[in-house]
Amino acid sequence: MEIQEFITEAEHLRSHLLSQAKHYLGDADSAEDAAQETLVRLWLAKDRIPDATKMRNMASVVCKNVSLNILRDAKSCVAIDRAESIAGTGNPEKQLVEQENLQNLQQGIRSLSDKQRAIIRMRNVENLSYADIAKIIGATESSVRGMISKARMQLLNQMKGVKL
């Protein structure tokens, strides 16, 4: 791919990459980082990209992988407001139990695969519908329901102390 052709196509792709990354990451700053990283990786591979169509297809895959890497590197967890979960309890024993439960839940979330963590975040934090999540990850709605159910069961079993 010629340099000018790459630049022209990259300018057209940028807004799509920002939108795609924002679906995964949830905030504009992280989405900007993911879009830039995607374009850098495409630039490094420009000699292996034959045309604009292949570049668009490759850009979507690279953006998805970069976004998932950002989630993994940040050890993204479903946000749990610790103060809210312990608020109003004057009993130190109860506070300790709540704190241990919170730590177990966070550990369980970290033990999920990157994809499971991402879809749990999309569903529970970003409140995306199953259909929207399916479009983002390129799966059917029923498979998304199954993946979310499996991730929740894994968390539940871990909270109960059952190893999978």
Side-chain angles (χ1 to χ4, degrees):
M1 176 175 269
E2 295 296 320
I3 293 173
Q4 191 56 44
E5 183 183 10
F6 178 90
I7 292 170
T8 302
E9 188 60 30
E11 289 171 350
H12 288 69
L13 276 174
R14 193 170 193 297
S15 63
H16 171 72
L17 294 173
L18 281 170
S19 174
Q20 182 181 358
K22 188 164 182 175
H23 279 297
Y24 282 103
L25 302 170
D27 71 76
D29 291 336
S30 296
E32 180 70 34
D33 292 344
Q36 288 176 2
E37 178 68 21
T38 299
L39 291 172
V40 166
R41 290 183 185 192
L42 290 172
W43 173 258
L44 295 173
K46 73 182 177 311
D47 296 333
R48 296 176 295 190
I49 304 171
D51 58 33
T53 303
K54 294 287 184 187
M55 183 173 166
R56 283 189 293 273
N57 294 339
M58 188 175 175
S60 287
V61 172
V62 171
C63 186
K64 177 183 88 170
N65 291 337
V66 166
S67 298
L68 291 175
N69 285 344
I70 289 172
L71 286 172
R72 183 189 65 235
D73 291 345
K75 300 234 187 246
S76 179
C77 293
V78 175
I80 301 168
D81 189 355
R82 199 173 141 185
E84 183 178 291
S85 68
I86 306 175
T89 58
N91 183 343
E93 183 179 349
K94 189 172 183 178
Q95 287 179 349
L96 183 60
V97 169
E98 289 291 326
Q99 188 174 15
E100 287 173 356
N101 287 340
L102 176 64
Q103 288 172 346
N104 288 338
L105 179 60
Q106 289 173 336
Q107 181 181 357
I109 291 169
R110 282 191 297 271
S111 74
L112 295 174
S113 70
D114 295 338
K115 192 171 190 176
Q116 286 176 320
R117 238 187 349 263
I119 63 172
I120 289 288
R121 179 185 176 92
M122 284 184 244
R123 181 68 182 153
N124 294 7
V125 176
E126 299 170 19
N127 297 319
L128 293 178
S129 68
Y130 291 110
D132 289 341
I133 295 170
K135 287 177 191 173
I136 292 169
I137 67 171
T140 65
E141 194 173 330
S142 62
S143 67
V144 169
R145 288 179 189 276
M147 287 186 273
I148 290 174
S149 176
K150 183 178 178 182
R152 287 176 178 163
M153 287 304 294
Q154 185 175 337
L155 285 172
L156 183 61
N157 288 335
Q158 185 159 357
M159 291 297 291
K160 289 180 179 179
V162 176
K163 297 284 183 181
L164 294 177

